[in-house]
Amino acid sequence: MTLEVSDLAVARGGVCVLEGLSFALSPGRALVLRGPNGIGKTTLLRAIAGLQAPLSGVVRAAPESLVYAGHADGIKATLSVSENLSFWAHVFGNKDISQALDAFALTPLADRPAGMLSAGQKRRLGLARLLVTGRRVWLLDEPTVSLDRDAVAMFADVVAAHLGAGGAALMATHIELGLADASELDLVPFRARPVELDDFDGAFL
Amino acid sequence: MNFNALWAYANPRKFIETADKVLPALSVLAALCMGVGLVWGFFFTPDDYRQGATVKIIYLHVPSALMAINIWLMMLVTSLVWIVRRHHVSALAARAAAPIGMVMTLIALITGAIWGQPMWGTWWAWDPRLTSFLILFLFYLGYIALWEAIENDDTAADLTSILCLVGSVFALLSRYAVNFWNQGLHQGASILRGAALVGDTEERMSNVYAVPLFVSIAGFVLLSLALIILRTQTEIRARRMRALMARERMN
Amino acid sequence: MRDLRLAVRAGGGFGLGLAFFLIVVTLVPFAVGPRTELLAAIAPGILWLGALLACLLSLDRILALDWEDGSLDLLATAPLPMEGTVSVKALAHWLTTGLPLVLASPVLGLLLSLPAAGYGPLVLSLLVGTPALSVIGTFGAALTVGLRRGGLLLSLLVLPLYVPTLIFGAEVARRGAGALDYATPLLMLAGITCGTIAVLPFASAAVLRVNLR
């Protein structure tokens, strides 16, 4: 089991948004989180990535196997595309960035300052970062935002290749990627129920 | 004594219930001690042969200075309790105490200036003790400002606790640095200096002044305690209200 | 490494703090009058205060930019300890702000007619003291990252923490200018710097983790 979540509850802004959430992700599989805006997809992904503590429940994953990609890409405008990418490769202890550049068709842009890229190109650079980390489980928050149709297909190919190589992905997206190994998880049933209002101590959380 | 029983009071409901019971008695006692201490000190002690009537400001100056430091220490303890055991009441007590400590520091500074004017011929001197209190005042300011600036209560509690820890270390450092920087005019600690009560040295503070001083110190301690408990109650209720409102918005 | 390259690339990193230092020092004679002996007497203090304010000016940029573009989130989930990350940030801040100030201080000392004996101790005290300013500043930046109007609060939080460093640093420079023995305050200053470098990154990292929640 690559990633296992049991009985998880997460809070945003001090209010519990999702509770009783359990699922498992095995190698070669992708899980797509569905649900309306504001249900807590980002919060859930951040909790699994370890950026915030869950209210209750357990996230089990092999150490150093997760990598998170959020709304912001962490791109420095003054560094070039390849410098941005090799910085992250260094952080994760890798060297080779050419494969990642190729996968997202960034090779022609490699020497351009990242500040000169369009929104979609920046997003591609942000996603290329996933490849240089060498991590097996990808946690993706709306990965296809501002990508055009070609780029979405490019991204779908990369994810499929990643799954084919034994990786796994947990993503929150509204776009159909056409992945063969993907299953869906609807978050609506896990929406946290309002707590009884006369519970004095409970109101503290 | 079983110290673990104390943690029961970290429950907000229990704290508020207990505080409701204790507060009236505490307030009356505080008023009584302060009234007796101050009236006795101001009107029923002889003038000092060197300092004249100005010496009597000691009944405000010394207790407030003591409380200024002790309230910071209390905040340090409650911050540690929050970091280690994560009791909300503890963090809120630190938050509640900060403005009281700041006011005490301010009182100590102002009474010090009023006392210093006739004694040293100046309202303000860059004397180590005065300077240290000014720095303490700045620490209180920063601490309170940080609480006010952060919207999420738990985040604010965490950050201010760490600031309090780090600030304490730096406050201590500043104290020594300031001492090093300027040997001052200020007299030594009036009360704690070697058995001031029983000693028979020339310098010792005589009983005539000491007894009302202790009564008024007790009054300040009780007053601060009562205020802190009252404000902690308020903070708990405000916190609960914010939590309820957040929940309302969600549903 | 990246931060360094960034600071250089972004321009301003080097220049701004240094230019600010220069301006502060230039303004002092306008404020207190051009009498040489007066300027010489206050020169060590002014130079230290100017360096401190120049450091303060660039503090909010240490972490705010990384916060805005999401790099901090990604760094937090990367296999680097947060303590290491903030230490590197502090080091980058020192190299881009503190070190230029140290190097520029003799020239500015000249402007304020610092006595000849004072140059060595001045540079030495700044060299030893400014790393502490960067490390303490990083702690302040970590506290206020993600806050609106964080810059003002940052100064309010950080300046009281700067007091011991300023006292000992300026004392070294002052005693040096008066051709007195400055070994004791220099040792104290070095002690503060070592202590903050050893301990504060843990506090900064803890604070940053809380802020990223």
Side-chain angles (χ1 to χ4, degrees):
Chain A
M1 207 56 65
T2 311
L3 173 68
E4 193 180 339
V5 168
S6 45
D7 202 23
L8 196 71
V10 293
R12 180 183 55 221
V15 180
C16 183
V17 287
L18 290 170
E19 62 185 3
L21 193 63
S22 301
F23 61 83
L25 192 60
S26 35
R29 301 289 300 174
L31 185 63
V32 179
L33 302 172
R34 302 280 186 189
N37 292 132
I39 191 149
K41 294 188 290 288
T42 298
T43 313
L44 174 62
L45 284 170
R46 287 178 70 88
I48 293 174
L51 281 169
Q52 65 177 73
L55 274 184
S56 63
V58 195
V59 176
R60 262 187 294 271
E64 311 240 311
S65 70
L66 302 175
V67 60
Y68 166 79
H71 292 289
D73 293 317
I75 292 171
K76 292 294 165 196
T78 47
L79 297 184
S80 78
V81 169
S82 56
E83 280 170 330
N84 263 304
L85 214 48
S86 37
F87 167 73
W88 288 111
H90 275 292
V91 167
F92 285 86
N94 295 320
K95 287 271 179 283
D96 185 33
I97 61 163
S98 55
Q99 213 188 339
L101 285 174
D102 274 345
F104 284 96
L106 289 165
T107 317
L109 306 170
D111 292 324
R112 195 184 288 192
M116 310 271 286
L117 298 181
S118 74
Q121 288 167 331
K122 273 187 192 154
R123 194 71 209 174
R124 265 150 63 195
L125 175 54
L127 292 171
R129 187 183 66 88
L130 293 167
L131 287 171
V132 302
T133 59
R135 293 288 175 92
R136 290 179 54 220
V137 184
W138 293 356
L139 306 171
L140 307 171
D141 193 3
E142 299 288 359
T144 54
V145 168
S146 68
L147 292 183
D148 61 16
R149 200 182 304 145
D150 290 348
V152 170
M154 215 184 282
F155 170 63
D157 288 345
V158 169
V159 174
H162 177 63
L163 298 182
L170 177 66
M171 61 181 98
T173 181
H174 297 280
I175 290 186
E176 202 54 61
L177 288 172
L179 293 170
D181 301 311
S183 39
E184 290 194 2
L185 177 68
D186 190 6
L187 290 178
V188 175
F190 301 104
R191 197 199 289 263
R193 277 166 296 280
V195 189
E196 287 302 310
L197 285 183
D198 53 291
D199 173 14
F200 192 99
D201 304 334
F204 252 74
L205 289 171
Chain B
M1 186 178 161
N2 184 7
F3 281 101
N4 277 328
L6 277 177
W7 297 120
Y9 296 95
N11 174 308
R13 185 203 296 266
K14 175 105 185 193
F15 181 89
I16 288 197
E17 275 171 8
T18 318
D20 276 337
K21 275 183 223 139
V22 174
L23 259 182
L26 205 58
S27 319
V28 170
L29 214 57
L32 206 69
C33 278
M34 282 189 70
V36 170
L38 291 181
V39 171
W40 186 356
F42 283 153
F43 302 110
F44 299 100
T45 52
D47 288 356
D48 186 81
Y49 71 97
R50 271 183 304 147
Q51 306 192 11
T54 53
V55 75
K56 292 180 177 179
I57 205 165
I58 198 174
Y59 298 108
L60 285 173
H61 181 70
V62 171
S64 59
L66 273 179
M67 289 322 294
I69 295 170
N70 285 335
I71 287 178
W72 184 273
L73 288 180
M74 178 220 129
M75 281 159 53
L76 178 62
V77 172
T78 49
S79 297
L80 274 172
V81 170
W82 162 251
I83 290 177
V84 177
R85 300 200 51 141
R86 306 200 75 75
H87 290 308
H88 290 277
V89 173
S90 185
L92 292 175
R95 177 180 190 167
I100 302 168
M102 190 177 77
V103 171
M104 288 295 177
T105 318
L106 204 58
I107 294 176
L109 282 172
I110 293 173
T111 52
I114 295 172
W115 194 5
Q117 211 283 329
M119 291 312 303
W120 306 330
T122 170
W123 294 100
W124 180 260
W126 288 98
D127 159 271
R129 271 173 186 254
L130 276 66
T131 315
S132 301
F133 264 78
L134 193 59
I135 296 169
L136 184 65
F137 183 68
L138 295 179
F139 273 111
Y140 272 122
L141 266 186
Y143 180 86
I144 294 170
L146 190 62
W147 260 113
E148 295 304 319
I150 303 169
E151 274 166 30
N152 185 311
D153 284 294
D154 276 2
T155 310
D158 281 331
L159 297 186
T160 50
S161 303
I162 298 175
L163 177 68
C164 186
L165 294 190
V166 173
S168 304
V169 175
F170 275 87
L172 210 62
L173 266 179
S174 307
R175 179 86 184 85
Y176 284 108
V178 165
N179 263 339
F180 179 86
W181 164 74
N182 192 355
Q183 298 356 320
L185 300 163
H186 200 289
Q187 65 211 56
S190 331
I191 331 166
L192 298 175
R193 197 196 307 132
L197 276 179
V198 288
D200 200 27
T201 57
E202 191 73 17
E203 277 188 337
R204 88 186 162 85
M205 207 171 63
S206 58
N207 286 338
V208 193
Y209 297 113
V211 178
L213 180 60
F214 279 116
V215 176
S216 117
I217 288 174
F220 266 77
V221 171
L222 290 169
L223 173 72
S224 307
L225 214 58
L227 284 175
I228 290 172
I229 290 176
L230 182 68
R231 282 186 49 86
T232 309
Q233 260 191 343
T234 317
E235 291 288 350
I236 290 174
R237 290 186 171 127
R239 169 76 201 262
R240 178 168 151 72
M241 200 173 71
R242 283 194 296 275
L244 288 177
M245 268 156 60
R247 198 165 291 174
E248 268 319 282
R249 277 198 302 274
M250 286 297 293
N251 297 331
Chain C
M1 261 320 284
R2 183 182 73 149
D3 279 306
L4 247 169
R5 208 184 305 165
L6 271 179
V8 179
R9 246 350 125 77
F14 267 119
L16 221 60
L18 211 54
F20 180 80
F21 191 26
L22 176 68
I23 288 176
V24 167
V25 170
T26 316
L27 286 182
V28 169
F30 297 145
V32 302
R35 282 188 297 130
T36 313
E37 63 278 25
L38 179 64
L39 284 177
I42 61 172
I46 297 299
L47 289 169
W48 250 93
L49 202 58
L52 188 143
L53 292 176
C55 262
L56 190 70
L57 195 67
S58 50
L59 281 183
D60 59 337
R61 299 173 42 138
I62 298 181
L63 294 168
L65 294 176
D66 280 355
W67 165 270
E68 277 160 22
D69 66 17
S71 306
L72 270 186
D73 278 351
L74 303 179
L75 279 170
T77 54
L80 294 175
M82 198 67 120
E83 288 78 8
T85 309
V86 291
S87 302
V88 171
K89 293 264 170 213
L91 178 68
H93 178 259
W94 182 71
L95 287 176
T96 53
T97 311
L99 196 58
L101 293 179
V102 174
L103 298 178
S105 59
V107 182
L108 298 178
L110 213 65
L111 283 180
L112 293 178
S113 48
L114 186 71
Y119 288 94
L122 174 72
V123 173
L124 197 60
S125 68
L126 281 172
L127 192 64
V128 174
T130 43
L133 299 184
S134 290
V135 175
I136 297 170
T138 310
F139 172 67
L143 272 176
T144 54
V145 74
L147 285 180
R148 281 166 285 113
R149 287 182 294 120
L152 210 59
L153 184 61
L154 177 63
S155 329
L156 184 60
L157 294 178
V158 164
L159 284 178
L161 300 179
Y162 275 175
V163 168
T165 314
L166 175 65
I167 288 179
F168 287 121
E171 184 75 24
V172 173
R174 217 166 44 207
R175 290 194 182 185
L180 300 167
D181 175 40
Y182 53 82
T184 317
L186 187 63
L187 283 178
M188 301 293 270
L189 184 64
I192 289 176
T193 303
C194 293
T196 51
I197 291 175
V199 178
L200 264 188
F202 293 97
S204 313
V207 159
L208 210 50
R209 277 195 209 101
V210 171
N211 258 330
L212 284 175
R213 274 206 304 244

